[in-house]
Amino acid sequence: MHVNVSAAMIVNSAGEIFCVLRGRSRFASTAYKWEFPGGKIEPGETPAQAAVREIREELGCRIIPIADGPVVDHSYPEFSITLHGILCTLERGETPVLREHIRAQWIRADALWQLDFAAADRPLLLWLKERTFGALLKTRIFGRTPYFLDSCASTNDELLRLAETGAPEGTLIVSEQQTAGRGRLGRSWLSEPGQGLLFSLLARPALPAEVAATLPLVAGLAITQTLRGMGFEAGLKWPNDVLIEDRKVCGILCEAQTSSRGIEGIVIGVGLNTGAVPETVAHRAIGLPSMPDRLNILATFCEAFEALYTRWSTSGLAALREELNRLDCKRGRPITVRPGSGERQGIARGIRDDGALLLETERGVEALICGEIAQWD
């Protein structure tokens, strides 16, 4: 048996989605759904048009269709379903009227994961995220080709595969969960589902390898600016971390797509703790309070990154020196650095134009091209 299902999804002026909670288990739906055949289709109507008409009658309010959503096929042993989505908005001043046994709530797209949706609804939810994110985005390139996933092993791996097939600069992969996330030096990146902003962004800079190697600092600076613009006291820690209260709130991992011609692209992987962090790392990691809207953070980051990337692409890291020095949270402080083997101790004196950390020791100021700050006072 094959069933056509139409889902009429309603958004308000704040970008929130009208979610209906049904049954004893209160499983959620992005809106009312009608099955065809079985629902009433007037002559000449499509299933989507019938869904809009019936939702007007059911909710006692006027709605306006604004976009066609995805059409997704689901196959089960006994039957198959084709799900049609259509996005609508309320006319000004209209309010849905619900029957007594039905509950509903308005919820932002970023928080849809909190509700218990049926598997058939997942494509609609991801599409709503992409659409909501697109409405927030103010960039020309970065984030303009987005892919939102429920789960993946690693957003970097997903984007590297797309990069190999010619994905354009600015392509974005976002996942609610990573099962094999990683950081620098082969470390694992731990995050609970829904508690982080996990994404990868594709850059294709036409720059020498030594300049391209400083891209993690550009991304870190963009994250720091984004968080500070939202009221968080964030600081950049060389070479690829962002801290709040001296604990890690964000890590960055850049990986290159290479060929015989050299670097073809760079995938910038970002893991930002927006909610609770695992208890095992709470002594050195921190999340953002009050679970801010992750889609808004992501759109703001893309805008900040694009502006910095444009300057960096033209003039290298020297063009960002003032911002780097101002937001370097270790500058002027005693630190211990592990530059590969052994340790160096001294006072952090900022970041050089080539991305090297300047460390003042008893022997003078040293420039460390690679390594990590392992300890600070």
Side-chain angles (χ1 to χ4, degrees):
M1 181 178 69
H2 183 84
V3 178
N4 282 305
V5 177
S6 283
M9 304 170 285
I10 304 176
V11 296
N12 62 17
S13 58
E16 298 169 315
I17 292 92
F18 186 67
C19 290
V20 178
L21 309 179
R22 300 169 179 269
R24 292 182 180 179
S25 64
R26 294 299 182 192
F27 69 86
S29 172
T30 48
Y32 290 90
K33 286 199 285 256
W34 288 266
E35 296 184 3
F36 304 97
K40 182 181 179 184
I41 302 181
E42 301 293 343
E45 277 187 327
T46 66
Q49 289 169 336
V52 171
R53 174 179 53 77
E54 291 200 7
I55 201 172
R56 287 171 176 157
E57 297 170 358
E58 179 75 17
L59 299 182
C61 62
R62 288 169 294 180
I63 61 173
I64 305 169
I66 56 176
D68 290 332
V71 177
V72 184
D73 290 316
H74 295 272
S75 295
Y76 302 93
E78 300 84 6
F79 59 94
S80 61
I81 294 176
T82 299
L83 179 63
H84 308 261
I86 182 166
L87 189 64
C88 309
T89 187
L90 294 172
E91 284 196 11
R92 185 181 298 273
E94 290 293 306
T95 303
V97 178
L98 296 174
R99 295 195 296 267
E100 290 184 2
H101 68 283
I102 294 177
R103 288 199 302 117
Q105 66 185 99
W106 293 97
I107 188 165
R108 67 181 194 237
D110 179 47
L112 289 171
W113 63 272
Q114 298 172 350
L115 302 181
D116 183 18
F117 285 93
D121 278 286
R122 304 308 298 180
L124 297 181
L125 305 189
L126 297 175
W127 180 80
L128 284 169
K129 278 189 179 182
E130 289 183 12
R131 183 176 176 86
T132 302
F133 172 69
L136 294 170
L137 202 58
K138 297 177 182 178
T139 61
R140 186 174 61 88
I141 296 172
F142 289 98
R144 287 294 169 186
T145 308
Y147 297 89
F148 283 77
L149 309 175
D150 274 329
S151 179
C152 68
S154 159
T155 57
N156 267 24
D157 289 346
E158 294 288 333
L159 190 49
L160 282 167
R161 280 192 284 270
L162 285 180
E164 292 289 347
T165 65
E169 183 170 61
T171 298
L172 173 70
I173 296 279
V174 190
S175 185
E176 199 66 54
Q177 180 182 18
Q178 288 185 135
T179 57
R182 60 182 181 274
R184 288 179 72 240
L185 307 176
R187 298 187 180 111
S188 297
W189 180 268
L190 302 176
S191 61
E192 300 294 333
Q195 299 299 309
L197 177 55
L198 311 172
F199 67 92
S200 295
L201 194 62
L202 178 62
R204 294 194 182 277
L207 294 169
E210 62 272 16
V211 179
T214 65
L215 189 55
L217 288 166
V218 182
L221 184 57
I223 285 286
T224 304
Q225 290 180 344
T226 297
L227 295 180
R228 292 182 72 88
M230 294 178 173
F232 302 109
E233 290 296 321
L236 181 66
K237 171 178 164 277
W238 180 89
N240 68 322
D241 291 337
V242 178
L243 307 184
I244 291 178
E245 298 177 4
D246 258 359
R247 287 187 285 172
K248 185 171 178 175
V249 71
C250 178
I252 296 161
L253 176 65
C254 289
E255 296 180 293
Q257 173 211 352
T258 60
S259 72
S260 57
R261 296 184 295 273
I263 295 176
E264 300 282 352
I266 301 175
V267 168
I268 307 151
V270 176
L272 175 64
N273 301 323
T274 55
V277 299
E279 196 171 313
T280 54
V281 296
H283 62 290
R284 55 188 172 85
I286 192 171
L288 300 179
S290 70
M291 275 299 292
D293 189 325
R294 294 171 300 169
L295 294 180
N296 185 48
I297 292 175
L298 182 57
T300 305
F301 164 79
C302 287
E303 185 178 359
F305 178 77
E306 184 164 285
L308 294 170
Y309 181 84
T310 300
R311 292 163 56 195
W312 172 80
S313 297
T314 303
S315 305
L317 208 60
L320 310 179
R321 182 190 304 150
E322 182 179 342
E323 291 101 318
L324 286 168
N325 284 333
R326 179 167 52 86
L327 297 179
D328 180 356
C329 62
K330 299 305 165 196
R331 188 167 179 247
R333 296 176 60 179
I335 58 172
T336 297
V337 183
R338 292 179 183 146
S341 61
E343 292 184 344
R344 303 276 200 284
Q345 293 182 335
I347 306 296
R349 293 302 182 195
I351 300 167
R352 205 169 63 177
D353 291 352
D354 61 356
L357 173 70
L358 297 176
L359 184 70
E360 182 180 342
T361 68
E362 295 177 351
R363 298 187 298 273
V365 177
E366 298 182 41
L368 305 177
I369 292 291
C370 62
E372 63 177 345
I373 298 176
Q375 183 178 322
W376 53 88
D377 294 334

